[in-house]
Amino acid sequence: MSQWKQVQQLDIKFLEQVDYFYDDNFPMEIRQVLAGWIESQDWDMASNHESMASVLFSNLLTQLERQCTQESNFLQRHNLKRIHQQLQGKYKGNPLHMAAVISNCLREERRILSTASMQEQGPLEKSMQN
Amino acid sequence: MSQWKQVQQLDIKFLEQVDYFYDDNFPMEIRQVLAGWIESQDWDMASNHESMASVLFSNLLTQLERQCTQESNFLQRHNLKRIHQQLQGKYKGNPLHMAAVISNCLREERRILSTASMQEQGPLEKSMQN
């Protein structure tokens, strides 16, 4: 199961934490429509290598354009178009920053998933891990 | 049929015109989720009467909160929450401006619907109208 699918199955108290760090810097629409592709890239490494960050930025825009073309729902297409424009404006001169933002979001998701998983375990399992 | 439903059935060239005037000042999500309610209010009059604009602004926020509570999709709920916060920040001190923005969007939609309708008519119908 993709990390994003696991996130969406979290309890509301954890989802509210996820809500908190998704904003215009990395709109949640992108996380949703490109979930598999996003999770298969190394954003952590890209956030330290400008040429890699540039390639990922360019690929992300291409993928978004493709999603726009395929999207039949008017509102969704409108949102994807606007996000495409916003990202171009925001990260064209600084793809390293985009890679750092995405890397950070994925790391925060993993942290929340891990916390949620620990809380689901009973006291016996926890003590066995320690 | 609601005006918004008619808009969504327009040809792509007209939809692109609609795309153009929906932005963060009046996010398209609101137009979609509150379509019926929005069309049944007099935004034109509200844009000239501060007390009426304040009431409509407050009612719009209440309706948005209700939609948030009822929405089961995580991404949609996230978007509605963010829009609620954005609108509060943007129009709390100036509800007249919000009323003017919405009034203008609805008027633009009617203009585009009217243009599309004229273009669909053949030359005979057009000449009979003149």
Side-chain angles (χ1 to χ4, degrees):
Chain A
M1 196 195 302
S2 75
Q3 182 173 313
W4 184 240
K5 277 220 170 124
Q6 291 178 56
V7 166
Q8 288 173 87
Q9 290 175 4
L10 286 169
D11 278 354
I12 187 79
K13 66 176 176 177
F14 295 112
L15 285 176
E16 281 172 359
Q17 294 178 34
V18 179
D19 257 343
Y20 187 73
F21 56 80
Y22 275 95
D23 55 21
D24 285 348
N25 289 313
F26 184 33
M28 201 183 272
E29 265 91 354
I30 307 183
R31 182 68 183 96
Q32 171 110 347
V33 298
L34 302 179
W37 181 78
I38 284 171
E39 290 174 27
S40 65
Q41 313 304 314
D42 190 340
W43 299 99
D44 202 28
M45 186 181 281
S47 68
N48 290 302
H49 294 84
E50 185 138 21
S51 60
M52 184 179 173
S54 291
V55 171
L56 288 189
F57 176 56
S58 168
N59 289 352
L60 187 138
L61 292 182
T62 307
Q63 303 248 7
L64 259 186
E65 277 161 32
R66 194 175 301 153
Q67 288 287 336
C68 272
T69 317
Q70 291 169 349
E71 181 59 62
S72 59
N73 180 284
F74 176 49
L75 173 60
Q76 295 304 328
R77 197 166 62 239
H78 170 83
N79 284 342
L80 292 177
K81 267 192 217 172
R82 295 205 64 231
I83 288 169
H84 187 279
Q85 288 168 350
Q86 282 168 1
L87 292 184
Q88 269 199 317
K90 200 184 278 281
Y91 297 121
K92 200 176 177 183
N94 192 0
L96 280 172
H97 183 45
M98 184 195 73
V101 167
I102 298 182
S103 170
N104 187 53
C105 282
L106 296 179
R107 193 181 311 115
E108 281 297 299
E109 286 177 10
R110 287 193 294 274
R111 187 187 59 75
I112 292 170
L113 283 168
S114 166
T115 309
S117 163
M118 289 295 284
Q119 290 194 9
E120 270 173 15
Q121 293 174 355
L124 179 63
E125 289 94 327
K126 275 186 193 165
S127 67
M128 284 172 72
Q129 283 182 343
N130 295 331
Chain B
M1 195 194 305
S2 75
Q3 181 173 313
W4 184 240
K5 277 220 169 123
Q6 291 178 57
V7 166
Q8 288 173 88
Q9 291 174 2
L10 286 169
D11 278 353
I12 187 80
K13 65 175 176 179
F14 295 111
L15 284 177
E16 281 172 358
Q17 294 177 36
V18 179
D19 258 340
Y20 187 73
F21 56 80
Y22 275 94
D23 55 20
D24 285 347
N25 289 314
F26 183 33
M28 200 183 272
E29 265 91 354
I30 307 183
R31 183 68 182 97
Q32 171 109 347
V33 298
L34 302 179
W37 181 78
I38 284 171
E39 290 174 27
S40 64
Q41 312 304 314
D42 191 340
W43 298 99
D44 202 27
M45 185 180 283
S47 68
N48 291 302
H49 295 85
E50 186 140 18
S51 60
M52 185 179 172
S54 291
V55 170
L56 288 188
F57 175 57
S58 167
N59 288 352
L60 186 139
L61 291 181
T62 306
Q63 303 247 4
L64 260 186
E65 278 161 33
R66 196 175 300 153
Q67 288 286 337
C68 272
T69 316
Q70 291 169 350
E71 181 59 63
S72 59
N73 179 285
F74 176 50
L75 172 61
Q76 296 303 328
R77 196 167 61 238
H78 169 83
N79 284 342
L80 292 176
K81 266 191 218 174
R82 296 203 64 231
I83 288 169
H84 187 279
Q85 288 167 351
Q86 282 169 0
L87 292 183
Q88 268 198 318
K90 200 184 280 279
Y91 297 122
K92 199 175 177 183
N94 192 0
L96 281 172
H97 182 46
M98 184 196 73
V101 167
I102 298 182
S103 169
N104 188 53
C105 281
L106 295 179
R107 193 181 310 115
E108 280 297 300
E109 286 178 12
R110 287 193 294 273
R111 187 187 59 74
I112 292 170
L113 283 169
S114 166
T115 308
S117 162
M118 288 296 284
Q119 288 194 11
E120 270 174 17
Q121 292 175 354
L124 180 62
E125 290 94 329
K126 274 187 194 163
S127 67
M128 284 173 70
Q129 283 181 344
N130 294 332

